[in-house]
Amino acid sequence: MVALVASRSGALTPEEARRRDLPVLLLQGGIHAGEIDGKDAGFVALRELLEDRVAPGALKAFVLVFVPVFNIDGHERFGPWNRPNQVGPQEMGWRATAQNLNLNRDYAKADAPEMRAMLRLLNSWIPCCTSTCT
């Protein structure tokens, strides 16, 4: 899984973001490969922020962490008949992972290795502030 970090403050690590007391915004795309618009929208949003076309200077005030494709297995299992009841696009990836797990329903259980990686990413960038978090 790939995560892209963007900031104009120089804070490109979780430690530096905390040291500078900067908020962190996580964008996640591609949890379901047949609903991949989040990947494209995230790249558009990132481009617009980096070119200062929207919210000029905003990237000085926060850190953006973008995971374009969360369900990598489903994204790469591309074909025309993966979601026959869905109108468009003509071809798309598969909803579940290679282990046939739906990541959208795995946040609490964390059965999938992808989800465990996402939770590690979340905990490193946005650490929980109560003793009950794991």
Side-chain angles (χ1 to χ4, degrees), residues 13 20 22 49 58 63 66 70 72 79 92 98-99 112 114 116:
T13 65
R20 295 173 189 232
L22 291 170
L49 283 166
V63 178
F66 176 40
F70 183 23
I72 299 164
M92 65 195 70
Q99 294 82 25
E114 297 91 342
R116 291 191 296 275

Side-chain angles (χ1 to χ4, degrees), residues 4-80:
L4 188 150
V5 179
S7 175
R8 293 210 187 269
S9 69
L12 297 175
T13 65
E15 297 77 21
E16 192 59 25
R18 279 191 288 284
R19 189 182 77 70
R20 295 173 189 232
D21 199 28
L22 291 170
V24 176
L25 173 65
L26 174 75
L27 298 179
Q28 173 188 294
I31 194 165
H32 289 149
E35 303 160 3
I36 203 64
D37 297 349
K39 173 183 75 170
D40 299 332
F43 279 120
V44 169
L46 179 60
R47 182 189 65 213
E48 299 288 309
L49 283 166
L50 288 170
E51 292 178 351
D52 280 334
R53 285 198 234 170
V54 298
L59 277 177
K60 292 178 184 174
F62 75 98
V63 178
L64 175 69
V65 179
F66 176 40
V67 178
V69 179
F70 183 23
N71 182 359
I72 299 164
D73 294 336
H75 185 269
E76 295 304 312
R77 189 177 171 186
F78 204 76

